[in-house]
Amino acid sequence: MPDCVEAVYSNGYYDFIVEKQYMEEIPEGDYCIQQLDENYAAVYYKMNEEGAELKLGDFTYRVIPKCFGLLNNVALEDSGIMKVRDQPNLELTGRGVLVGFVDTDFDYTNPLFCHSDGTTRVERIWNQEDRSGIPPKGFLYGSEYTRQQIDEELIANHDSMTARIPYADGHGTFLAALAAGSEDFANQFSGAAPECDIAFVQLKKAKPYLRDFYFIPDETPVFQENDIMAGIRYLNQLAIELRKPLSLCIALGTNMGNRGGRTPIANSLTEVCNRRQRCVAIAAGNEADKRHHFLGSIPSQTMEERVEISVSDGVDGFIAELWAAAPELYEVVILSPTGERFHALPSAPGSHSEYRFVFEGTIVSVDYLLTSAVNSNELIYIRFKHPIPGIWTITVTVRSYSRGVYHIWLPMSEMVSGEVFFLRSNPDTTITVPSDTEMPITAAGYNSKDGSIYNESGRGFTATGQVKPDIAAPAVDIYGPVGDGRFESRTGTSIAAAVTAGAGALMLEWTGVRRNDLAATTANIKNYFIRGAVRDNTKVYPNREWGWGQLDLYKTFENFRNV
């Protein structure tokens, strides 16, 4: 049997996400299993050779973990949060509620995460990177730290180099402070839920073989889907153990996968959302202006469409995913900047073809996949390795025609070592995965100074027509801690998600801790927020940019009054 802890970290093992019903299909070999939720498990399968190149033709698309990046670069008054906290008969502060984060670096030593007596407000930390301690019960890897251990470390007052519990400032610290930070009068700062309890999952970095497969630059922090799913499961189990409501903040995203909310991580989030006394907030992403989405439209069976992609110098590689809803089927021809053609003919579903362009030296592979046994949506997965700069053209033709509508997405900017964009892009349907999941609250971002939508904020709707985003929250030039006692302003829809998660914590205090609506789920809280949202009478709602309007927690509570 393999060393399963080593398998989690080793670049000599593939990580796969496998549904329970397909577990018997795993071929014989050395592998370990980590349960992720009721329906999925991570399978760590030994490679024939360490660091072997991952090829889509060898494995099905659905089992390969996607890589997720950060969505960063409190406006409590604009969100109605301060009014709710100051209202004498409410005075909601998040007391008795657990606010959970699945993110990157977290500085638990920051006074914003402590009580006034210096003891911690952090209930638990699971650091997936840290192998020095004991993993949480039911998990193979990382180190779990309790409130007692954190308090002991705070008393010892070690610096970041000698601390027994690792810590660092980063994206996670900033978001945790916005949603759950204590009041700091000297710096005129407060988190949305300053008296809640905090739980944090610090994700481990993605394995090198996956980064290579997706051509992700070494300097970009990215995280695997299976590790995020494990973090979601951990926080939900912790809330059950502590018997506390849970407000969960997810500020990670990717352009990999369909925008129909059917990914493995969507399954995990939906499972949590359906539980009582849960609120899940997700960032809509910052992709609206990046030119990474193409909306295809072919008028008839006999016509074709040319999709042009601009590739700059220094791009090691990139991936384009073409998605089409059943029963439509398409095929593609790839045209290089010098005019050489690669006609990737699909011999059957699951077919794989690869071509090396003679003058460019570029290798392009094309996989035709039917991704779901339920609806048989088509994915054409196109992988460009060492593309020369210039205009690459994908000519799309129809094999099975219905409406002639399809989507193509390119990777997020941080996941490519250069510029790659469509010449004729479409800003809609640019919300990132998993913000396309139906049940959670998807938060768009707006500029509270002038009331305008944040121009990078991901737009809806989903590829299946589901209304997303759900709500908009402040996301531009938001003040928060950045380490060493300093504060500065940052921008991004991750901030909107943190503000929304903080508002969710206050709602959970009212529904759960104060027992006003013990049956409340994320769906109920979402509906409360939507009913209280501020809407501009010059706009039609819901819409692709704002969802149902601007978050206003005070107005939400006003709607509960009988007047």
Side-chain angles (χ1 to χ4, degrees), residues 20 34-40 98 100 102 123-124 126 135-140 144 199 201 229-246 248 268 271-272 275-278:
K20 277 187 176 180
Q34 167 66 67
Q35 199 66 37
L36 299 177
D37 62 24
E38 293 300 314
N39 298 301
Y40 291 92
L98 186 68
V102 181
E123 186 67 54
R124 213 73 61 88
W126 177 24
K137 183 179 179 181
F139 294 89
L140 293 170
E144 180 184 46
V201 176
M229 292 171 66
I232 293 166
R233 178 188 176 213
Y234 170 80
L235 292 172
N236 186 54
Q237 288 184 342
L238 179 61
I240 294 170
E241 175 190 330
L242 299 174
R243 297 187 177 182
K244 290 183 178 180
L246 172 66
L248 178 60
S268 289
E271 188 178 313
V272 174
R275 295 190 65 93
R276 295 180 180 183
Q277 297 305 306
R278 298 291 185 270

Side-chain angles (χ1 to χ4, degrees), residues 171-374:
H171 186 262
T173 303
F174 195 87
L175 298 188
L178 296 182
S182 302
E183 293 182 290
D184 182 341
F185 296 104
N187 288 291
Q188 298 183 318
F189 178 84
S190 174
E195 294 189 359
C196 70
D197 295 315
I198 300 166
F200 202 97
V201 176
Q202 184 168 329
L203 293 163
K204 72 178 184 67
K205 303 295 190 298
K207 288 184 176 180
Y209 85 87
L210 266 182
R211 301 178 72 100
D212 293 343
F213 177 69
Y214 292 120
F215 302 110
I216 298 171
D218 292 341
E219 64 274 13
T220 300
V222 291
F223 312 94
Q224 293 180 199
E225 186 174 10
N226 52 301
D227 292 322
I228 300 170
M229 292 171 66
I232 293 166
R233 178 188 176 213
Y234 170 80
L235 292 172
N236 186 54
Q237 288 184 342
L238 179 61
I240 294 170
E241 175 190 330
L242 299 174
R243 297 187 177 182
K244 290 183 178 180
L246 172 66
S247 182
L248 178 60
C249 178
I250 303 291
L252 303 158
T254 183
N255 275 350
M256 303 168 187
N258 193 7
R259 299 306 189 282
R262 299 189 182 97
T263 54
I265 192 171
N267 180 86
S268 289
L269 290 165
T270 300
E271 188 178 313
V272 174
C273 288
N274 285 332
R275 295 190 65 93
R276 295 180 180 183
Q277 297 305 306
R278 298 291 185 270
C279 178
V280 179
I282 306 181
N286 308 320
E287 284 287 297
D289 66 343
K290 300 301 190 296
R291 305 181 71 177
H292 292 155
H293 171 238
F294 183 90
L295 177 60
S297 179
I298 298 180
S300 71
Q301 174 85 43
T302 59
M303 300 183 73
E304 64 182 29
E305 186 166 31
R306 291 165 61 88
V307 182
E308 296 154 319
I309 302 174
S310 175
V311 180
S312 72
D313 284 316
V315 175
D316 293 331
F318 68 94
I319 290 158
E321 294 189 0
L322 186 155
W323 288 87
E328 299 202 292
L329 293 173
Y330 296 90
E331 62 185 55
V332 296
V333 176
I334 312 299
L335 182 67
S336 77
T338 65
E340 190 173 353
R341 289 177 176 270
F342 166 37
H343 194 170
L345 286 171
S347 56
S351 64
H352 170 86
S353 56
E354 187 171 291
Y355 180 76
R356 179 186 290 272
F357 285 80
V358 176
F359 291 111
E360 290 86 351
T362 300
I363 300 172
V364 174
S365 61
V366 177
D367 290 85
Y368 290 90
L369 306 165
L370 298 181
T371 60
S372 170
V374 176

Side-chain angles (χ1 to χ4, degrees), residues 441-464:
I441 304 169
T442 298
Y446 76 94
N447 188 336
S448 56
K449 293 178 182 177
D450 60 14
S452 64
I453 197 72
Y454 171 45
N455 66 327
E456 296 183 19
S457 181
R459 299 183 185 183
F461 297 131
T462 70
T464 55

